[in-house]
Amino acid sequence: MQNRGSYLDALGVEQWVSRGGAAVADPLLATPVAPQAPAAPAPPAAVRASQATPVTPAASGEPAWLTLQAQVAACQRCALHAGRLNTVFGVGNPGAQWMVIGEAPGAEEDKQGEPFVGRAGQLLNAMLLAIGLPREQVFIANILKCRPPGNRDPLPQEVAECLPYLERQIALIKPRILLAVGRIAAQNLLATDTPIGKLRGQLHRFGAAQTPLVVTYHPAYLLRSPGEKRKAWDDLKFARRVHRELGQAG
């Protein structure tokens, strides 16, 4: 298994070496991350028939979670259902304190039924691991559950039809913090057309529960613009600090 330094390298974060010989990128990384509760057993196969990589239901809300999964799998609320291979419900720990929200499935996500696979998914894993979060400890979802043709931006009507599923996921998971990755996710969650550069670096709130939300760049964008990785690293540190302060307040 790669060490944390490898993931920081993937983010383009320079490390310095202490007199004791240990590589350190940022004092924040020395803060241990509290272990997450293990995920509950996987749902019955019949319920997840269209999910290539199903998620496991939260123990306290299993019936509601399975019902939501089935609703997404059978959804025909917009025209995107006609061209999909799989719905992409989400993946990870439904009892997670962190929830990562992206834009929409791409071609590979549509094939596998899982969000953030391929190179962008690998970089997202690196970003999470850089702040001590294995992918399995968070829950990852998208604004849309079906792939838009040609990977185009989601249409307003598609978002309007699909967003209630995401809102229900957030209500069931009750994450402590949301991390919106990319312009499309951030603008739709916050109902704004403000550029992502102006949304970064501040704490936002989402929904009736006023869940804390932090914005950063999409991994696919960072692959195209590696010079922006330093800004994404700043966003991750900010989100980590917010999460830690929320824990102390609670």
Side-chain angles (χ1 to χ4, degrees):
M1 181 176 179
Q2 292 177 290
N3 59 32
R4 183 170 293 172
S6 300
Y7 295 105
L8 293 172
D9 289 341
L11 285 174
V13 177
E14 296 181 2
Q15 301 181 75
W16 56 274
V17 179
S18 68
R19 292 181 180 179
V24 179
D26 190 280
L28 180 63
L29 295 179
T31 304
V33 177
Q36 302 280 341
V47 177
R48 62 185 196 241
S50 72
Q51 303 298 326
T53 307
V55 296
T56 54
S60 60
E62 182 171 334
W65 188 260
L66 293 177
T67 296
L68 181 60
Q69 251 186 319
Q71 289 173 342
V72 169
C75 182
Q76 297 185 9
R77 296 180 64 173
C78 77
L80 292 180
H81 78 274
R84 74 185 179 216
L85 296 177
N86 289 290
T87 54
V88 182
F89 183 78
V91 69
N93 176 11
Q97 294 184 8
W98 288 71
M99 188 167 177
V100 179
I101 302 174
E103 173 184 338
E108 198 59 35
E109 287 82 4
D110 183 42
K111 290 178 183 177
Q112 298 188 32
E114 180 174 336
F116 285 96
V117 297
R119 292 182 64 215
Q122 292 170 6
L123 182 54
L124 176 64
N125 294 346
M127 293 166 69
L128 295 172
L129 278 165
I131 54 172
L133 290 171
R135 182 181 174 104
E136 296 78 14
Q137 286 189 3
V138 306
F139 191 86
I140 305 172
N142 283 316
I143 296 290
L144 295 189
K145 306 302 185 189
C146 296
R147 179 198 179 196
N151 294 341
R152 61 160 171 74
D153 289 351
L155 301 178
Q157 180 183 356
E158 294 163 352
V159 174
E161 297 291 355
C162 211
L163 193 58
Y165 292 133
L166 179 63
E167 291 172 337
R168 183 61 175 151
Q169 286 179 305
I170 294 171
L172 290 172
I173 294 169
K174 297 180 176 64
R176 182 173 289 176
I177 188 170
L178 301 174
L179 183 66
V181 293
R183 175 183 63 85
I184 298 296
Q187 290 181 341
N188 280 287
L189 288 171
L190 298 173
T192 181
D193 59 1
T194 302
I196 188 172
K198 294 184 178 180
L199 295 174
R200 294 178 49 253
Q202 54 185 305
L203 180 61
H204 305 276
R205 299 279 176 173
F206 175 79
Q210 291 291 283
T211 306
L213 184 152
V214 172
V215 173
T216 191
Y217 293 115
H218 195 286
Y221 170 77
L222 295 175
L223 289 171
R224 299 191 302 269
S225 306
E228 302 284 56
K229 288 182 178 180
R230 169 61 65 176
K231 294 179 182 178
W233 175 236
D234 291 338
D235 298 335
L236 293 171
K237 290 189 293 181
F238 174 59
R240 177 73 179 90
R241 185 167 67 251
V242 168
H243 177 267
R244 184 176 57 195
E245 291 171 354
L246 289 169
Q248 293 171 348

